[in-house]
Amino acid sequence: MMTDALPTVLEAPPRAPLVEVIELSRAFGDVVALDRVSLTIAENEFFALLGPSGCGKTTLLRSIAGFEQPDHGRILLGGDDLLTRPPNRRPVNLMFQSYALFPHMTVAKNVAYGLERERLPKREVTERVQGVLEIVGLTALAKRRPNQLSGGQRQRVALARAIVKRPRLLLLDEPLSALDRKVRAEMQLELKRLQHEVGITFVVVTHDQEEAMSLADRIAVMANGRVQQVAPPVELYQRPANLFVADFVGTSNIVTGHVVDQMFVSKPLGPLPVAVPPGTAAGAAHLVVRPENVRIILPGDSSAGVVDGVVADAQFHGGVWTLAVDVGGFDRPFLVTVPGLAPASRGDRVRLGWDSAALVQDELV
Amino acid sequence: MSAEVTPVRGGRSRRLGRFIEPLVLLTPGFAFYAVLVAAPVLLVSSYAFATRGRFGGVEWTWDLSNFERALEPIYLEVLRSSVVLAGIATLVALLLGYPTAYAITKLPPRWRTVALVLVVVPFWTNFLIRMYAWIVLLNTQGVLNDALVATGLVEDRVSMLYTPAAVVVGFVYAYLPLMILPLYASLEKIDSELLEASANLGASRIRTLWSVMVPLTLPGIITGSILVFVPSLGNFVVPELLGGGKTVMVGNLIRDQFLKAQDWPFGSVLAMVVVVALVVLFTAQAWVTRRVEGEPRHG
């Protein structure tokens, strides 16, 4: 992986692979949900499957849980073939997007359900249920029914029900999507804390990149049933593997052009600064610049600029300004985020420059 | 402040409307029940406390002896066998209806409608004709016996008609749709993710059936069971046609008291026994439904 090339990424100790997805394919009629997907998820990793709806992430999750039968490929868990086992015999628990709590059972009964299936002694069931309810802070609500709980509380019951089984792998399907913004932020922290505490491998499916970025050790970005890139959040952001990832993850200024003689050249703007890795083939390419990496060079500033434009709009976002700068020859304005005071206002002529940019050649895998 | 704002939106007239509308909608139905159901039932019930008239009808002298008579062993036995036959029919209908209703929920939406129509199709034919059809089928010289003998499954023809089993078959056949429809309504409401969650937590399919599906469909199970049990218990046509009059059920008894023995007070007592049993059943059903479907959500 390219991880070691990036000083900003903390070096993770090598971990044994827990889940191996090998060339997994699944089609529903003409719609290809999974197209030869291969992934390795390490022991104790917090892994995210990120992508727009219909990208295949949920199908992958359901295949691991056993609710979808893939057409081709294999899924190994700790080296064992998972696909030959029925859903109820997989050491994998799934937290459903809808939570899927049993409405006719109390919170405690819901949580105990999985343990009772293991035919554990009654005392152990009670002890473990109490223990896990304590972890998620629901001890006081153990006797309630799901319909007497708030959304956040239900989410925690679903989580407790899944982790009480101490699965080797916990799958979470859009775990926070049903919660409102404030509760969501709290639960994000709690999920992260919990994962450290219980030491279970988490795989979370989400369409929310902020959620994936803040939670996961590594993220697999999916589109059209294929894995576009697997990388830690920072790498994903700084070095998108292709145009889709660059566009999907975070906000980007994207300039389309060509690589000629190890230089990036855009038609209207000429050569633009970007590190072109040695050996890059000549041909169509895209330059990706994050708004926070764009500098504004005001008239009188002697540093060299790259692009000239006119400020079309300036918005204050509490501590940070976002400027939209119209640049001749582009449909989309350049976005620039600047901390502190507004460096320019609407109608000002500015020059833009950047020190850091990424180059992508493929549009999509 | 807010109290002053509300009337501007027409608070009073709307509140009045909220009261009048249900009243208007409920009145015809209530009137119908009051005149054509409640009044006759009350009248018949009152016969139970009167004395038998010589040529039918009643004489209004206070008399509780009919209740004592209903407790005589011979009548208790009729009541018992009625409950047993109707109960068996209900159980058989449940065992046949549950998988059927479940299978229908698994069909593609368009076929679901077709299947539900097919379930109801038998109601398009007259009840008596359908019962006579069973006589043709179950007869010792009937189609079923022909088939059994032809395939060599039995050597001698089996007498199936005019047995309690034939009565049960008749009940199941007649009322199975009334079992399937509420079961379907209940099963269709179950979120399939609940069944997946159960499997995900390690439950076998049988365990999921017992611990998740059955409890959640209990209202449908009870409603369907009542809809089969009640008309079976009071039925007097099926015992006569398929049971050959050898099987006397409480329905036959009541009919005979009113039409043959001209003992209206005793018939009325027997009818009341059935009515009370039904009230108990329906109360239980309402209670279970409320428990399963829970109090309204909050938050």
Side-chain angles (χ1 to χ4, degrees), chain A residues 11-37:
Chain A
E11 197 64 50
R15 289 185 281 200
L18 177 69
V19 184
E20 288 165 90
V21 177
I22 303 158
E23 295 274 307
L24 207 67
S25 296
R26 175 79 165 109
F28 299 100
D30 292 339
V31 183
V32 178
L34 293 175
D35 186 5
R36 284 165 287 144
V37 168

PDB file of all heavy atoms in Angstrom, chain A residues 11-37:
ATOM      1  N   GLU A  11       1.399   4.744  11.418  1.00  0.00           N
ATOM      2  CA  GLU A  11       1.687   3.382  10.987  1.00  0.00           C
ATOM      3  C   GLU A  11       0.965   2.405  11.897  1.00  0.00           C
ATOM      4  O   GLU A  11       1.164   2.396  13.111  1.00  0.00           O
ATOM      5  CB  GLU A  11       3.200   3.134  11.063  1.00  0.00           C
ATOM      6  CG  GLU A  11       3.655   1.920  10.282  1.00  0.00           C
ATOM      7  CD  GLU A  11       3.424   2.082   8.797  1.00  0.00           C
ATOM      8  OE1 GLU A  11       3.826   3.124   8.234  1.00  0.00           O
ATOM      9  OE2 GLU A  11       2.835   1.179   8.202  1.00  0.00           O
ATOM     10  N   ALA A  12       0.081   1.590  11.319  1.00  0.00           N
ATOM     11  CA  ALA A  12      -0.629   0.598  12.126  1.00  0.00           C
ATOM     12  C   ALA A  12       0.192  -0.685  12.162  1.00  0.00           C
ATOM     13  O   ALA A  12       0.823  -1.034  11.165  1.00  0.00           O
ATOM     14  CB  ALA A  12      -1.991   0.315  11.516  1.00  0.00           C
ATOM     15  N   PRO A  13       0.198  -1.370  13.319  1.00  0.00           N
ATOM     16  CA  PRO A  13       0.930  -2.632  13.359  1.00  0.00           C
ATOM     17  C   PRO A  13       0.263  -3.628  12.424  1.00  0.00           C
ATOM     18  O   PRO A  13      -0.956  -3.597  12.244  1.00  0.00           O
ATOM     19  CB  PRO A  13       0.812  -3.066  14.820  1.00  0.00           C
ATOM     20  CG  PRO A  13      -0.378  -2.347  15.350  1.00  0.00           C
ATOM     21  CD  PRO A  13      -0.491  -1.074  14.569  1.00  0.00           C
ATOM     22  N   PRO A  14       1.019  -4.498  11.795  1.00  0.00           N
ATOM     23  CA  PRO A  14       0.408  -5.454  10.874  1.00  0.00           C
ATOM     24  C   PRO A  14      -0.553  -6.367  11.642  1.00  0.00           C
ATOM     25  O   PRO A  14      -0.225  -6.863  12.707  1.00  0.00           O
ATOM     26  CB  PRO A  14       1.602  -6.240  10.329  1.00  0.00           C
ATOM     27  CG  PRO A  14       2.719  -5.973  11.271  1.00  0.00           C
ATOM     28  CD  PRO A  14       2.455  -4.666  11.927  1.00  0.00           C
ATOM     29  N   ARG A  15      -1.713  -6.531  11.097  1.00  0.00           N
ATOM     30  CA  ARG A  15      -2.725  -7.337  11.788  1.00  0.00           C
ATOM     31  C   ARG A  15      -3.157  -8.492  10.901  1.00  0.00           C
ATOM     32  O   ARG A  15      -3.162  -8.372   9.679  1.00  0.00           O
ATOM     33  CB  ARG A  15      -3.935  -6.475  12.157  1.00  0.00           C
ATOM     34  CG  ARG A  15      -3.598  -5.504  13.266  1.00  0.00           C
ATOM     35  CD  ARG A  15      -4.808  -4.743  13.723  1.00  0.00           C
ATOM     36  NE  ARG A  15      -5.129  -3.655  12.797  1.00  0.00           N
ATOM     37  CZ  ARG A  15      -5.890  -2.621  13.154  1.00  0.00           C
ATOM     38  NH1 ARG A  15      -6.400  -2.547  14.358  1.00  0.00           N
ATOM     39  NH2 ARG A  15      -6.160  -1.678  12.285  1.00  0.00           N
ATOM     40  N   ALA A  16      -3.518  -9.566  11.549  1.00  0.00           N
ATOM     41  CA  ALA A  16      -3.926 -10.754  10.804  1.00  0.00           C
ATOM     42  C   ALA A  16      -5.239 -10.470  10.093  1.00  0.00           C
ATOM     43  O   ALA A  16      -6.113  -9.791  10.629  1.00  0.00           O
ATOM     44  CB  ALA A  16      -4.096 -11.916  11.763  1.00  0.00           C
ATOM     45  N   PRO A  17      -5.410 -10.967   8.868  1.00  0.00           N
ATOM     46  CA  PRO A  17      -6.684 -10.758   8.195  1.00  0.00           C
ATOM     47  C   PRO A  17      -7.773 -11.597   8.864  1.00  0.00           C
ATOM     48  O   PRO A  17      -7.541 -12.747   9.210  1.00  0.00           O
ATOM     49  CB  PRO A  17      -6.415 -11.240   6.771  1.00  0.00           C
ATOM     50  CG  PRO A  17      -5.267 -12.167   6.883  1.00  0.00           C
ATOM     51  CD  PRO A  17      -4.452 -11.711   8.056  1.00  0.00           C
ATOM     52  N   LEU A  18      -8.934 -10.976   9.078  1.00  0.00           N
ATOM     53  CA  LEU A  18     -10.056 -11.719   9.643  1.00  0.00           C
ATOM     54  C   LEU A  18     -11.021 -12.112   8.530  1.00  0.00           C
ATOM     55  O   LEU A  18     -11.430 -13.259   8.423  1.00  0.00           O
ATOM     56  CB  LEU A  18     -10.793 -10.870  10.681  1.00  0.00           C
ATOM     57  CG  LEU A  18     -12.034 -11.539  11.272  1.00  0.00           C
ATOM     58  CD1 LEU A  18     -11.643 -12.706  12.151  1.00  0.00           C
ATOM     59  CD2 LEU A  18     -12.875 -10.555  12.052  1.00  0.00           C
ATOM     60  N   VAL A  19     -11.366 -11.134   7.716  1.00  0.00           N
ATOM     61  CA  VAL A  19     -12.310 -11.390   6.636  1.00  0.00           C
ATOM     62  C   VAL A  19     -11.596 -11.264   5.299  1.00  0.00           C
ATOM     63  O   VAL A  19     -10.865 -10.300   5.074  1.00  0.00           O
ATOM     64  CB  VAL A  19     -13.481 -10.370   6.666  1.00  0.00           C
ATOM     65  CG1 VAL A  19     -14.498 -10.707   5.588  1.00  0.00           C
ATOM     66  CG2 VAL A  19     -14.129 -10.349   8.037  1.00  0.00           C
ATOM     67  N   GLU A  20     -11.785 -12.252   4.445  1.00  0.00           N
ATOM     68  CA  GLU A  20     -11.278 -12.141   3.087  1.00  0.00           C
ATOM     69  C   GLU A  20     -12.437 -12.319   2.120  1.00  0.00           C
ATOM     70  O   GLU A  20     -13.072 -13.371   2.099  1.00  0.00           O
ATOM     71  CB  GLU A  20     -10.210 -13.198   2.831  1.00  0.00           C
ATOM     72  CG  GLU A  20      -8.899 -12.914   3.549  1.00  0.00           C
ATOM     73  CD  GLU A  20      -8.008 -14.131   3.562  1.00  0.00           C
ATOM     74  OE1 GLU A  20      -7.215 -14.290   2.629  1.00  0.00           O
ATOM     75  OE2 GLU A  20      -8.154 -14.939   4.496  1.00  0.00           O
ATOM     76  N   VAL A  21     -12.707 -11.272   1.386  1.00  0.00           N
ATOM     77  CA  VAL A  21     -13.731 -11.336   0.340  1.00  0.00           C
ATOM     78  C   VAL A  21     -12.980 -11.512  -0.968  1.00  0.00           C
ATOM     79  O   VAL A  21     -12.085 -10.721  -1.283  1.00  0.00           O
ATOM     80  CB  VAL A  21     -14.576 -10.045   0.316  1.00  0.00           C
ATOM     81  CG1 VAL A  21     -15.577 -10.094  -0.821  1.00  0.00           C
ATOM     82  CG2 VAL A  21     -15.277  -9.848   1.652  1.00  0.00           C
ATOM     83  N   ILE A  22     -13.325 -12.595  -1.678  1.00  0.00           N
ATOM     84  CA  ILE A  22     -12.541 -12.922  -2.861  1.00  0.00           C
ATOM     85  C   ILE A  22     -13.436 -12.959  -4.095  1.00  0.00           C
ATOM     86  O   ILE A  22     -14.327 -13.813  -4.194  1.00  0.00           O
ATOM     87  CB  ILE A  22     -11.839 -14.287  -2.682  1.00  0.00           C
ATOM     88  CG1 ILE A  22     -10.956 -14.244  -1.421  1.00  0.00           C
ATOM     89  CG2 ILE A  22     -10.999 -14.632  -3.910  1.00  0.00           C
ATOM     90  CD1 ILE A  22     -10.642 -15.609  -0.858  1.00  0.00           C
ATOM     91  N   GLU A  23     -13.229 -12.021  -4.986  1.00  0.00           N
ATOM     92  CA  GLU A  23     -13.881 -12.024  -6.297  1.00  0.00           C
ATOM     93  C   GLU A  23     -15.384 -12.245  -6.194  1.00  0.00           C
ATOM     94  O   GLU A  23     -15.955 -13.049  -6.926  1.00  0.00           O
ATOM     95  CB  GLU A  23     -13.266 -13.116  -7.195  1.00  0.00           C
ATOM     96  CG  GLU A  23     -11.813 -12.887  -7.554  1.00  0.00           C
ATOM     97  CD  GLU A  23     -11.661 -11.997  -8.783  1.00  0.00           C
ATOM     98  OE1 GLU A  23     -12.266 -12.317  -9.810  1.00  0.00           O
ATOM     99  OE2 GLU A  23     -10.947 -10.976  -8.692  1.00  0.00           O
ATOM    100  N   LEU A  24     -16.016 -11.514  -5.308  1.00  0.00           N
ATOM    101  CA  LEU A  24     -17.436 -11.728  -5.052  1.00  0.00           C
ATOM    102  C   LEU A  24     -18.292 -11.007  -6.094  1.00  0.00           C
ATOM    103  O   LEU A  24     -18.092  -9.823  -6.353  1.00  0.00           O
ATOM    104  CB  LEU A  24     -17.783 -11.210  -3.652  1.00  0.00           C
ATOM    105  CG  LEU A  24     -18.960 -11.864  -2.959  1.00  0.00           C
ATOM    106  CD1 LEU A  24     -18.631 -13.309  -2.626  1.00  0.00           C
ATOM    107  CD2 LEU A  24     -19.316 -11.107  -1.694  1.00  0.00           C
ATOM    108  N   SER A  25     -19.228 -11.739  -6.693  1.00  0.00           N
ATOM    109  CA  SER A  25     -20.125 -11.142  -7.677  1.00  0.00           C
ATOM    110  C   SER A  25     -21.570 -11.506  -7.369  1.00  0.00           C
ATOM    111  O   SER A  25     -21.854 -12.600  -6.906  1.00  0.00           O
ATOM    112  CB  SER A  25     -19.791 -11.634  -9.092  1.00  0.00           C
ATOM    113  OG  SER A  25     -18.510 -11.204  -9.473  1.00  0.00           O
ATOM    114  N   ARG A  26     -22.443 -10.551  -7.629  1.00  0.00           N
ATOM    115  CA  ARG A  26     -23.868 -10.803  -7.449  1.00  0.00           C
ATOM    116  C   ARG A  26     -24.644  -9.901  -8.399  1.00  0.00           C
ATOM    117  O   ARG A  26     -24.399  -8.694  -8.447  1.00  0.00           O
ATOM    118  CB  ARG A  26     -24.281 -10.486  -6.001  1.00  0.00           C
ATOM    119  CG  ARG A  26     -25.775 -10.609  -5.746  1.00  0.00           C
ATOM    120  CD  ARG A  26     -26.168 -12.059  -5.579  1.00  0.00           C
ATOM    121  NE  ARG A  26     -27.489 -12.208  -5.004  1.00  0.00           N
ATOM    122  CZ  ARG A  26     -28.548 -12.636  -5.703  1.00  0.00           C
ATOM    123  NH1 ARG A  26     -28.433 -12.911  -6.979  1.00  0.00           N
ATOM    124  NH2 ARG A  26     -29.716 -12.775  -5.107  1.00  0.00           N
ATOM    125  N   ALA A  27     -25.548 -10.507  -9.167  1.00  0.00           N
ATOM    126  CA  ALA A  27     -26.383  -9.713 -10.065  1.00  0.00           C
ATOM    127  C   ALA A  27     -27.838  -9.960  -9.728  1.00  0.00           C
ATOM    128  O   ALA A  27     -28.234 -11.069  -9.390  1.00  0.00           O
ATOM    129  CB  ALA A  27     -26.093 -10.095 -11.512  1.00  0.00           C
ATOM    130  N   PHE A  28     -28.642  -8.892  -9.795  1.00  0.00           N
ATOM    131  CA  PHE A  28     -30.095  -9.020  -9.675  1.00  0.00           C
ATOM    132  C   PHE A  28     -30.660  -8.715 -11.053  1.00  0.00           C
ATOM    133  O   PHE A  28     -30.785  -7.554 -11.425  1.00  0.00           O
ATOM    134  CB  PHE A  28     -30.644  -8.038  -8.648  1.00  0.00           C
ATOM    135  CG  PHE A  28     -30.107  -8.245  -7.258  1.00  0.00           C
ATOM    136  CD1 PHE A  28     -29.084  -7.450  -6.764  1.00  0.00           C
ATOM    137  CD2 PHE A  28     -30.619  -9.246  -6.448  1.00  0.00           C
ATOM    138  CE1 PHE A  28     -28.591  -7.638  -5.481  1.00  0.00           C
ATOM    139  CE2 PHE A  28     -30.138  -9.441  -5.175  1.00  0.00           C
ATOM    140  CZ  PHE A  28     -29.117  -8.639  -4.695  1.00  0.00           C
ATOM    141  N   GLY A  29     -30.971  -9.765 -11.810  1.00  0.00           N
ATOM    142  CA  GLY A  29     -31.409  -9.533 -13.193  1.00  0.00           C
ATOM    143  C   GLY A  29     -30.282  -8.873 -13.966  1.00  0.00           C
ATOM    144  O   GLY A  29     -29.167  -9.380 -14.003  1.00  0.00           O
ATOM    145  N   ASP A  30     -30.566  -7.709 -14.532  1.00  0.00           N
ATOM    146  CA  ASP A  30     -29.544  -7.004 -15.308  1.00  0.00           C
ATOM    147  C   ASP A  30     -28.652  -6.133 -14.432  1.00  0.00           C
ATOM    148  O   ASP A  30     -27.624  -5.637 -14.875  1.00  0.00           O
ATOM    149  CB  ASP A  30     -30.216  -6.096 -16.361  1.00  0.00           C
ATOM    150  CG  ASP A  30     -30.910  -6.917 -17.434  1.00  0.00           C
ATOM    151  OD1 ASP A  30     -30.539  -8.096 -17.568  1.00  0.00           O
ATOM    152  OD2 ASP A  30     -31.799  -6.375 -18.117  1.00  0.00           O
ATOM    153  N   VAL A  31     -29.093  -5.930 -13.186  1.00  0.00           N
ATOM    154  CA  VAL A  31     -28.361  -5.007 -12.327  1.00  0.00           C
ATOM    155  C   VAL A  31     -27.235  -5.750 -11.615  1.00  0.00           C
ATOM    156  O   VAL A  31     -27.468  -6.727 -10.911  1.00  0.00           O
ATOM    157  CB  VAL A  31     -29.295  -4.370 -11.280  1.00  0.00           C
ATOM    158  CG1 VAL A  31     -28.539  -3.349 -10.446  1.00  0.00           C
ATOM    159  CG2 VAL A  31     -30.486  -3.729 -11.966  1.00  0.00           C
ATOM    160  N   VAL A  32     -26.015  -5.282 -11.836  1.00  0.00           N
ATOM    161  CA  VAL A  32     -24.868  -5.898 -11.168  1.00  0.00           C
ATOM    162  C   VAL A  32     -24.649  -5.177  -9.847  1.00  0.00           C
ATOM    163  O   VAL A  32     -24.297  -4.003  -9.818  1.00  0.00           O
ATOM    164  CB  VAL A  32     -23.607  -5.805 -12.044  1.00  0.00           C
ATOM    165  CG1 VAL A  32     -22.417  -6.408 -11.322  1.00  0.00           C
ATOM    166  CG2 VAL A  32     -23.845  -6.508 -13.363  1.00  0.00           C
ATOM    167  N   ALA A  33     -24.889  -5.897  -8.755  1.00  0.00           N
ATOM    168  CA  ALA A  33     -24.741  -5.280  -7.438  1.00  0.00           C
ATOM    169  C   ALA A  33     -23.308  -5.400  -6.948  1.00  0.00           C
ATOM    170  O   ALA A  33     -22.783  -4.489  -6.308  1.00  0.00           O
ATOM    171  CB  ALA A  33     -25.690  -5.932  -6.438  1.00  0.00           C
ATOM    172  N   LEU A  34     -22.686  -6.539  -7.226  1.00  0.00           N
ATOM    173  CA  LEU A  34     -21.289  -6.737  -6.854  1.00  0.00           C
ATOM    174  C   LEU A  34     -20.557  -7.286  -8.061  1.00  0.00           C
ATOM    175  O   LEU A  34     -21.010  -8.242  -8.689  1.00  0.00           O
ATOM    176  CB  LEU A  34     -21.170  -7.734  -5.689  1.00  0.00           C
ATOM    177  CG  LEU A  34     -21.728  -7.309  -4.337  1.00  0.00           C
ATOM    178  CD1 LEU A  34     -21.622  -8.464  -3.353  1.00  0.00           C
ATOM    179  CD2 LEU A  34     -20.996  -6.095  -3.805  1.00  0.00           C
ATOM    180  N   ASP A  35     -19.426  -6.664  -8.393  1.00  0.00           N
ATOM    181  CA  ASP A  35     -18.692  -7.069  -9.580  1.00  0.00           C
ATOM    182  C   ASP A  35     -17.259  -7.420  -9.173  1.00  0.00           C
ATOM    183  O   ASP A  35     -16.428  -6.540  -9.024  1.00  0.00           O
ATOM    184  CB  ASP A  35     -18.721  -5.918 -10.590  1.00  0.00           C
ATOM    185  CG  ASP A  35     -18.098  -6.319 -11.917  1.00  0.00           C
ATOM    186  OD1 ASP A  35     -17.742  -7.495 -12.075  1.00  0.00           O
ATOM    187  OD2 ASP A  35     -17.965  -5.427 -12.775  1.00  0.00           O
ATOM    188  N   ARG A  36     -16.994  -8.680  -8.960  1.00  0.00           N
ATOM    189  CA  ARG A  36     -15.668  -9.180  -8.585  1.00  0.00           C
ATOM    190  C   ARG A  36     -15.032  -8.335  -7.477  1.00  0.00           C
ATOM    191  O   ARG A  36     -13.952  -7.777  -7.636  1.00  0.00           O
ATOM    192  CB  ARG A  36     -14.756  -9.241  -9.815  1.00  0.00           C
ATOM    193  CG  ARG A  36     -15.075 -10.436 -10.720  1.00  0.00           C
ATOM    194  CD  ARG A  36     -14.447 -10.270 -12.067  1.00  0.00           C
ATOM    195  NE  ARG A  36     -15.150  -9.265 -12.851  1.00  0.00           N
ATOM    196  CZ  ARG A  36     -14.558  -8.429 -13.687  1.00  0.00           C
ATOM    197  NH1 ARG A  36     -13.271  -8.443 -13.844  1.00  0.00           N
ATOM    198  NH2 ARG A  36     -15.274  -7.558 -14.368  1.00  0.00           N
ATOM    199  N   VAL A  37     -15.729  -8.249  -6.369  1.00  0.00           N
ATOM    200  CA  VAL A  37     -15.236  -7.454  -5.251  1.00  0.00           C
ATOM    201  C   VAL A  37     -14.263  -8.280  -4.423  1.00  0.00           C
ATOM    202  O   VAL A  37     -14.565  -9.411  -4.046  1.00  0.00           O
ATOM    203  CB  VAL A  37     -16.407  -6.985  -4.360  1.00  0.00           C
ATOM    204  CG1 VAL A  37     -15.899  -6.418  -3.048  1.00  0.00           C
ATOM    205  CG2 VAL A  37     -17.242  -5.954  -5.100  1.00  0.00           C
TER     206      VAL A  37
END
